[in-house]
Amino acid sequence: MAAGQPGPDVLAARLADERLDHRFKGLPPDADGLTVGELAAQRRNVFTDGFTTPVLTLSAGALEHNLALLGAYSARHGLAFAPHGKTTMAPGLFARQLAHGAWGITVAVPHQVRVCRAFGVRRVFLANELVDAAALRWITGQLAADPEFRFVCYVDSVRGVELMDRALAGSPRPVDVVVELAAGEGARTGVRTEAEAVEVAGAVAGAAALRLVGVAGYEAQVPGASPETVRAWLRRLTGLAVRLDGAGLFADAGEIVVSAGGSEWFDAVADVLAELPPLSAPVLRLLRSGAYVSHDHGHYERLTPFNRVPEEGALEPAFLLWAQVVSRPTPDEAFLNAGKRDVSYDLALPVPRRVRSGRDGTERAADGLTVTALSDQHAWVRAEPGGALPEVGDWVALGLAHPCTVFEKWPLIPLVEGDGTVVDYVRTFF
């Protein structure tokens, strides 16, 4: 994206011009050849107007509620917000997050940075190390083409700093980096000790193509994470920022970035980052939660910080995967036509929520039904004592855990109102 190019809201709107075809599962077959915008304008009903099962739906009301809630939460707690876009990889959602006050978008790998740039995102936080020379040369080109582009990424080793500096030689301006502090033994990337952090920061200071602007990490990796252990690690992170600042290692930074925050402990992030003392430059307290967009029916539903601080609000699960009963080979078991290719299953199996009759369209709660296993294209459903097993032809709505692995399975997701009317479509790029 070059300077003067339209922003993410305008560029994301161009997705409406994409033509529909066999690439987009669950859509009505007779929509082939229409644009996304033309199909959205028809306001079809997901149950009665030709959509095929399985079909993933995203609640328009829950989505808007969740976007507004985290935007307001961040502002209320003095946090800048760079939601983790790798959760959705949906430029239309990036635009809505930015409209709700997000500072920028967080991603994890170079491909995701390219998607952000293709759709006009001007601030990108790469929550990962980047030592790929080809990707770094591309970053150099982006910095040269767009003076408004800001890019920040992790560093956690002297070797990594050396590789970055070599690949970025000739960059028109330095790339901003933050030292990643690991969340403890068994964590993923990041320096393990403050002494290592100082060594890496010193290497950045000697690199012509890099500029040290802060510290960052991911608190959900803390072993045995609890309010006490997470806050203790976050205080190590803020203490590291104070230490590096005292050593003059942020001398070239216009602002100092201190960043953390997944979707399980953002209350602790808000509390501890508020304790930071004044530093030599203004501090950007940057929260990176991403799963809040759709929330879920399992993992984050149990672990959301709003369970600990209910006065702050509550997120709403926004996904339902509608699948159809295609077989009842035994009296106590049914098979749905959705499986591992369609739903998340890395943290928990789907949970039946609603049953819609294939005879008359009436709905009931899916009480007593359990998904016991997933095949590639089937969900195995059993009825507990007293539960009514659905008939062949019935539709079953599945609640899903871990939205990060749901979005990636659906390149175009209907955005629906409560009665099933589709008001728009969310395009993803994985």
Side-chain angles (χ1 to χ4, degrees):
M1 175 180 167
Q5 190 168 333
D9 53 341
V10 175
L11 291 170
R14 294 179 185 170
L15 292 168
D17 296 331
E18 187 169 14
R19 293 282 171 187
L20 299 173
D21 55 27
H22 59 276
R23 294 170 296 162
F24 305 113
K25 59 185 181 180
L27 298 189
D30 66 358
D32 279 8
L34 297 177
T35 67
V36 173
E38 288 168 345
L39 182 59
Q42 293 180 1
R43 294 178 65 87
R44 296 198 192 190
N45 187 282
V46 76
F47 303 116
T48 60
D49 289 330
F51 288 81
T52 62
T53 57
V55 59
L56 180 69
T57 63
L58 183 65
S59 164
L63 171 65
E64 179 57 29
H65 169 83
N66 293 344
L67 291 171
L69 184 64
L70 255 292
Y73 178 90
S74 300
R76 188 162 61 248
H77 289 276
L79 299 167
F81 189 31
H84 221 313
K86 64 91 176 172
T87 299
T88 68
M89 288 309 299
L93 296 183
F94 295 169
R96 294 182 65 166
Q97 290 170 314
L98 293 166
H100 278 281
W103 172 90
I105 299 296
T106 297
V107 292
V109 293
H111 157 70
Q112 296 165 358
V113 183
R114 293 186 64 196
V115 173
C116 286
R117 295 299 291 155
F119 288 92
V121 179
R122 288 197 166 98
R123 291 173 177 161
V124 179
F125 188 99
L126 181 69
N128 206 345
E129 285 69 27
L130 179 57
V131 296
D132 184 292
L136 288 164
R137 287 193 295 269
W138 177 82
I139 293 291
T140 296
Q142 293 292 299
L143 293 169
D146 186 358
E148 297 184 20
F149 175 42
R150 184 169 186 199
F151 175 77
V152 184
C153 71
Y154 285 175
V155 290
D156 75 348
S157 69
V158 172
R159 171 64 173 163
V161 168
E162 292 170 347
L163 291 171
M164 292 186 72
D165 195 39
R166 183 183 310 156
L168 291 166
S171 177
R173 48 196 168 101
V175 167
D176 289 344
V177 297
V178 292
V179 175
E180 183 194 7
L181 178 67
E185 291 303 318
R188 292 187 304 223
T189 54
V191 297
R192 265 41 182 178
T193 68
E194 282 73 4
E196 289 178 272
V198 171
E199 182 183 15
V200 172
V204 174
L210 302 178
R211 179 175 65 167
L212 186 68
V213 297
V215 297
Y218 178 47
E219 70 289 339
Q221 291 275 303
V222 170
S226 69
E228 295 74 27
T229 59
V230 167
R231 281 176 168 79
W233 177 82
L234 286 164
R235 291 189 176 100
R236 280 187 65 200
L237 184 70
T238 57
L240 179 60
V242 171
R243 178 173 176 176
L244 296 181
D245 189 47
L249 291 166
F250 297 139
D252 296 329
E255 65 181 0
I256 298 170
V257 178
V258 182
S259 180
S263 295
E264 298 175 26
W265 298 101
F266 55 76
D267 56 332
V269 173
D271 292 345
V272 175
L273 266 56
E275 301 170 358
L276 261 169
L279 301 179
S280 63
V283 176
L284 186 74
R285 297 167 172 84
L286 192 62
L287 180 69
R288 306 194 309 272
S289 309
Y292 80 100
V293 172
S294 61
H295 200 40
D296 71 358
H297 289 92
H299 181 76
Y300 291 112
E301 191 175 32
R302 294 190 304 273
L303 299 174
T304 174
F306 291 129
N307 290 339
R308 296 186 289 273
V309 282
E311 65 274 13
E312 295 271 18
L315 293 167
E316 298 177 2
F319 271 143
L320 284 176
L321 188 286
W322 288 93
Q324 199 167 21
V325 179
V326 293
S327 179
R328 273 188 53 176
T330 66
D332 58 355
E333 194 166 42
F335 288 86
L336 311 182
N337 64 343
K340 293 178 181 179
R341 300 291 182 260
D342 311 298
V343 306
S344 57
Y345 59 93
D346 55 328
L347 294 181
L349 291 172
V351 178
R353 295 286 179 171
R354 305 287 299 169
V355 175
R356 181 182 177 87
S357 171
R359 296 177 184 271
D360 58 16
T362 58
E363 288 189 25
R364 62 178 173 86
D367 295 338
L369 299 182
T370 303
V371 173
T372 60
L374 292 173
S375 301
D376 284 352
Q377 301 291 176
H378 291 94
W380 303 50
V381 177
R382 283 189 175 274
E384 300 170 2
L389 204 63
E391 293 186 306
V392 170
D394 287 353
W395 288 35
V396 179
L398 301 176
L400 309 174
H402 200 190
C404 296
T405 53
V406 180
F407 278 101
E408 70 182 30
K409 298 177 184 296
W410 291 85
L412 198 65
I413 304 169
L415 189 65
V416 301
E417 294 181 337
D419 65 354
T421 299
V422 181
V423 296
D424 205 351
Y425 295 84
V426 173
R427 180 72 159 99
T428 65
F429 292 85
F430 282 94

